[in-house]
Amino acid sequence: MSIFVFAESSDNQYKKSSFEAVSYAAEVAGKTGTTVTAVSIGKADNAAQLGEYGANTVISINGPAFDSFNSEIYAAAFAEVCKQGNASVAVISNTYCGKAMAGRVAVALNASLASNVVDYPDTSNGFLVKRGVFSGKAFAYVNLTSQVKVLALTPNSVEIKKNGSAAVVTSQSVAAVSSTCTVTGTNKITGKIPLTEAEVVVSAGRGMKGPENWNMVEELAEALGAATACSKPVSDMHWRPHSEHVGQTGITIKPNLYIAIGISGAIQHLAGVSSSKVIVVINKDAEAPFFKAADYGIVGDAFEVLPKLIQAAKSATAS
Amino acid sequence: MKILVCMSVVPDTTTKITFTDNNTRFNTAGVQYIMNPYDELALTKALDIAEPAGGTATIIHVGPADSEPAIRKALSMGATDAVRINAEPLDAQFVAAQIADWAKDKAFDMILTGRESIDYNGGVVCPLIGAMLNIPSIQVITKLEVNAGTATIERDIDGGREIMTCTMPFAASAQKDLCEPRIPNMRGIMAARTKPLAVVEPVSVKTGVEYQSFELPQPKQGVRMISADAPEELIHLLRNEAKVI
Ligand SMILES: Cc1cc2nc3c(=O)[nH]c(=O)nc-3n(C[C@H](O)[C@H](O)[C@H](O)COP(=O)(O)OP(=O)(O)OC[C@H]3O[C@@H](n4cnc5c(N)ncnc54)[C@H](O)[C@@H]3O)c2cc1C
C-alpha cells in the first residue's frame, strides 16, 4: 500500500495546487502509515522540491510524447507507475487537466473515484471523503469501497505544508500510449492567476454598467494580487470572457477572499462562490440578497467606492 | 455521422438544496427537474454537425421514468431518437459504465457530454466513457468543427486554451462558448411526441462509491457593514481581522 500523487505543471513550473496535492497525500500517508510517491510528467523544473511538501520519492516521466498535455497519454503513464508501485490511493488536482486524467486513471486502476474532494479522508472506518455537490450549495460524504481510490482534490482546500526536504528524483521511462489526438497550439493567458487557484478573487456584475469600466476592477485585483471573475450576464453579454463566469453554470471557486462588486447575489451565483472563506459585497442596493451571504459589506456606488478602495489597497500592500 | 449525446436531469438552478432522512437523501419535494444546461450545449453542437451531414444525434440518459419530460425536451430540440437506461444514476462511474456498455458495439463517431452535471458536479463522465471505450476524451471544449473525418477542437485549460486535432471516434465534454443552446420550436415539440424513446434495462455494474450523508455549508455569522466613505477600514479588517490579504 502506498500513495501516489500527480504533480501537475504548466510552463515548466509546478502549480500551487500540486503542492497542495502532495501535502494532502503526505497527511493521508502519515495517518495510514505509508509513503508518498510524487509523479511528475513532462518538462518541469526542480522535481526534487516536491520532497519539501512531503513526497518520499519522486518519479519523473519525460519524452517528446509528454511535452504537451494529452489526457490519454498522461493518464496511462500515471496509472502505469501507480500499478507498478502498488498504489492504494492516487491523488490528482481537481483542475481541468487533473479531472480529465482522473476518470481515465480510475478506469485503468479499477478504482473508486471521487472528484471535487474538499477535505482529508476519514479512514477510521472505511475511506470516507467529503466532496462538494450542487455547485457548492452542499457537501456529500462518500465512502470509497474499491481497493484502490482515486481522488481529485479541489484547489485551495487544504494548506500547503512544507516540512520535508528535497527528494531523490528517479527518471522512469514509460512508453507513451498512442493517441489519435494531437495538440497543435496553446493560447495561455500569461501573467494572470488562474481563477480556480486564486486565493483572492475580485468579481463584478452587471452593476459595472459596461466593459469599459472594468479597468477599476482589474486595478483592484492587481493591487490585491487577485484573479478577476464575473457574473453570468456579464459573460453572456461578452463584457468579459466566459472563463471568468462563476456560479452554478460557470466555475465553482473556493478562494480565501471573494469581493463581489455590483452583483445582486442570485442563488445561481452564490452556488459557485459560497465556499469562499471570506466574502465582501459592495452594492448600492442595501436590500441586495448578496449581503446575507457576506462577511463584510459596503452599501455604496461602485463608481465612488472603488477608486478609494484601490487607493487603500495600494497603500496597504505597499507598506 | 452518428453522434451520441449523454444527458443528465438535474434540479432547476433556483432549487434550494435540502436533505431528508437524517441528511442521507436529497429532498426532492417540490423540486423542478430540467435537462442539464451543459447537455443542451452538447446536443445543440451534435445537431449542428449531424444535420447538414444527414447524420443522427441520439440522446442517452441513465435514470428513472420521471426523466421522460426532460428527454422529450431533448427530442424537441431536434435529437433523432432517445435511449433511457432504466436505473437510478448512482454515481458517475455507474452512469458511464451503463452508457459505455450500450454504446460499445454501435460505432458512434463521437460521444458528447456536458462539462459536468450541475447536481453532483463530477465532471468525469466523459473521460470515464473515453477510457472504457478506449477512445480519446477531450474535456471542456469551446469549439468543435469536423472536416473530412478529422475534428478541430479547442478546449479550456487552467489559465488558457488548447487547440487540437482528433480523428473520430472520440468523446468530448461541452463547455459554455461551444454554442448557444437551441430552443425547441412548435414543430420540434410536435415531432418529439412520436420520436422513438427506447427503454433499456441496465447491466450489472459494481460501484465503488457509496453516498453516505450530506451537509449544508455553515451559515454566515452575519455581515459587518462598513461605511462607503471609509473603504480603507475594509482593507484594514481584511488584513488584520480576517487575515486574508
Ligand atoms: C439556468 C440558470 C443558470 C444561471 N447560472 C448562473 C451562474 O452560474 N452564475 C451567475 O452569476 N448567474 C447565473 N444565473 C443568473 C442569475 O440568476 C442572475 O441573473 C445573475 O447572477 C445576476 O447577475 P448580476 O448580479 O451581475 O446582475 P443583476 O442581478 O442585474 O445585479 C446587478 C447588481 O448591481 C447593483 N448595482 C447596480 N449599479 C451599481 C453601482 N453603481 N454600484 C454598486 N452596485 C450597483 C445592483 O444593485 C444589483 O444588485 C443563472 C440563471 C439561470 C436561469
Side-chain angles (χ1 to χ4, degrees):
Chain A
M1 182 178 154
S2 63
I3 300 185
F4 276 61
V5 51
F6 171 63
E8 187 180 333
S9 55
S10 164
D11 297 328
N12 294 355
Q13 302 299 315
Y14 291 107
K15 295 187 160 184
K16 180 175 147 262
S17 57
S18 298
F19 300 137
E20 292 170 359
V22 176
S23 301
Y24 181 94
E27 175 86 18
V28 180
K31 262 198 218 169
T32 51
T34 179
T35 56
V36 175
T37 304
V39 181
S40 172
I41 304 180
K43 292 193 184 113
D45 297 336
N46 191 7
Q49 67 178 310
L50 297 170
E52 296 169 17
Y53 303 92
N56 302 92
T57 42
V58 178
I59 292 176
S60 166
I61 300 171
N62 261 295
F66 301 106
D67 281 349
S68 59
F69 178 79
N70 175 317
S71 63
E72 267 178 293
I73 297 175
Y74 270 51
F78 182 56
E80 163 109 19
V81 293
C82 285
K83 267 187 204 159
Q84 286 169 4
N86 209 7
S88 51
V89 178
V91 182
I92 301 173
S93 298
N94 198 64
T95 54
Y96 283 138
C97 293
K99 260 199 291 194
M101 280 174 71
R104 301 193 75 105
V105 172
V107 172
L109 299 178
N110 197 12
S112 296
L113 168 66
S115 56
N116 275 349
V117 172
V118 296
D119 206 348
Y120 296 109
D122 175 356
T123 51
S124 58
N125 181 18
F127 197 95
L128 197 64
V129 299
K130 183 178 181 181
R131 63 182 301 268
V133 291
F134 298 104
S135 309
K137 287 181 186 172
F139 300 99
Y141 288 90
V142 293
N143 201 12
L144 305 184
T145 55
S146 302
Q147 207 155 25
V148 182
K149 287 110 178 132
V150 175
L151 310 181
L153 176 68
T154 300
N156 288 338
S157 292
V158 297
E159 257 170 63
I160 292 176
K161 287 190 190 133
K162 200 172 175 177
N163 42 23
S165 50
V168 176
V169 181
T170 322
S171 289
Q172 190 162 332
S173 79
V174 174
V177 296
S178 67
S179 170
T180 51
C181 272
T182 319
V183 175
T184 56
T186 326
N187 276 331
K188 283 251 166 104
I189 308 161
T190 46
K192 275 205 157 188
I193 305 159
L195 183 53
T196 45
E197 292 179 32
E199 289 179 9
V200 180
V201 174
V202 175
S203 183
R206 204 144 58 178
M208 287 311 293
K209 310 279 190 272
E212 65 281 7
N213 298 322
W214 245 263
N215 53 349
M216 283 195 281
V217 178
E218 288 191 323
E219 213 180 326
L220 179 62
E222 206 184 303
L224 296 172
T228 48
C230 69
S231 68
K232 179 174 187 283
V234 164
S235 77
D236 285 349
M237 292 183 290
H238 304 291
W239 292 1
R240 300 296 293 176
H242 83 95
S243 54
E244 286 196 0
H245 159 198
V246 292
Q248 182 137 19
T249 51
I251 302 174
T252 301
I253 53 171
K254 205 169 178 299
N256 291 335
L257 173 61
Y258 183 76
I259 302 181
I261 305 155
I263 302 177
S264 56
I267 186 166
Q268 296 99 341
H269 185 86
L270 293 180
V273 303
S274 59
S275 300
S276 311
K277 286 194 190 92
V278 173
I279 294 179
V280 172
V281 170
I282 301 169
N283 197 306
K284 69 173 185 190
D285 173 12
E287 300 299 314
F290 218 147
F291 284 115
K292 289 202 180 70
D295 299 282
Y296 300 100
I298 294 180
V299 176
D301 188 327
F303 294 87
E304 286 161 24
V305 175
L306 276 182
K308 291 185 219 161
L309 194 58
I310 291 165
Q311 214 41 57
K314 279 185 179 163
S315 47
T317 44
S319 65
Chain B
M1 182 71 64
K2 237 180 113 176
I3 306 176
L4 183 65
V5 179
C6 309
M7 171 184 134
S8 73
V9 175
V10 297
D12 169 21
T13 58
T14 57
T15 307
K16 189 165 187 297
I17 303 297
T18 58
F19 302 98
T20 58
D21 294 353
N22 207 9
N23 285 330
T24 58
R25 278 181 359 145
F26 173 59
N27 184 0
T28 56
V31 173
Q32 290 281 346
Y33 283 86
I34 57 167
M35 177 174 180
N36 185 41
Y38 290 111
D39 304 343
E40 293 185 1
L41 303 180
L43 175 58
T44 302
K45 193 71 203 180
L47 295 170
D48 289 348
I49 294 171
E51 283 170 353
T56 57
T58 300
I59 274 283
I60 187 163
H61 169 68
V62 179
D66 310 356
S67 306
E68 291 197 356
I71 297 175
R72 289 282 168 210
K73 171 169 181 195
L75 291 170
S76 67
M77 284 171 70
T80 321
D81 58 342
V83 177
R84 179 172 69 80
I85 311 269
N86 188 27
E88 278 301 326
L90 298 171
D91 82 293
Q93 286 172 291
F94 177 85
V95 168
Q98 297 299 338
I99 294 171
D101 186 79
W102 184 83
K104 65 178 190 285
D105 51 6
K106 297 193 175 61
F108 284 102
D109 295 304
M110 64 178 94
I111 300 182
L112 300 182
T113 72
R115 185 194 96 189
E116 66 178 30
S117 186
I118 63 164
D119 49 2
Y120 291 94
N121 315 113
V124 291
V125 168
C126 167
L128 285 168
I129 293 175
M132 288 165 182
L133 295 177
N134 202 17
I135 56 174
S137 46
I138 305 136
Q139 294 273 85
V140 289
I141 65 167
T142 52
K143 194 173 165 193
L144 169 59
E145 278 168 13
V146 183
N147 238 315
T150 301
T152 305
I153 296 173
E154 284 186 26
R155 65 120 170 250
D156 279 354
I157 51 173
D158 305 274
R161 229 169 234 199
E162 205 164 66
I163 303 138
M164 52 174 62
T165 56
C166 196
T167 52
M168 294 188 278
F170 60 83
S173 71
Q175 163 75 314
K176 198 182 160 183
D177 252 22
L178 182 62
C179 52
E180 288 296 320
R182 274 197 200 184
I183 297 169
N185 59 23
M186 209 51 201
R187 227 178 93 228
I189 295 167
M190 297 302 286
R193 294 191 186 153
T194 52
K195 283 183 179 172
L197 193 175
V199 178
V200 177
E201 288 310 311
V203 288
S204 133
V205 174
K206 170 189 153 280
T207 60
V209 177
E210 292 164 2
Y211 277 83
Q212 289 213 331
S213 63
F214 295 91
E215 185 180 283
L216 293 171
Q218 292 295 322
K220 290 280 178 191
Q221 299 301 308
V223 53
R224 174 151 171 192
M225 299 308 291
I226 294 143
S227 158
D229 300 323
E232 63 281 359
E233 171 71 3
L234 174 65
I235 298 292
H236 176 79
L237 289 168
L238 292 176
R239 276 203 122 182
N240 303 307
E241 187 180 80
K243 297 191 168 63
V244 286
I245 57 172

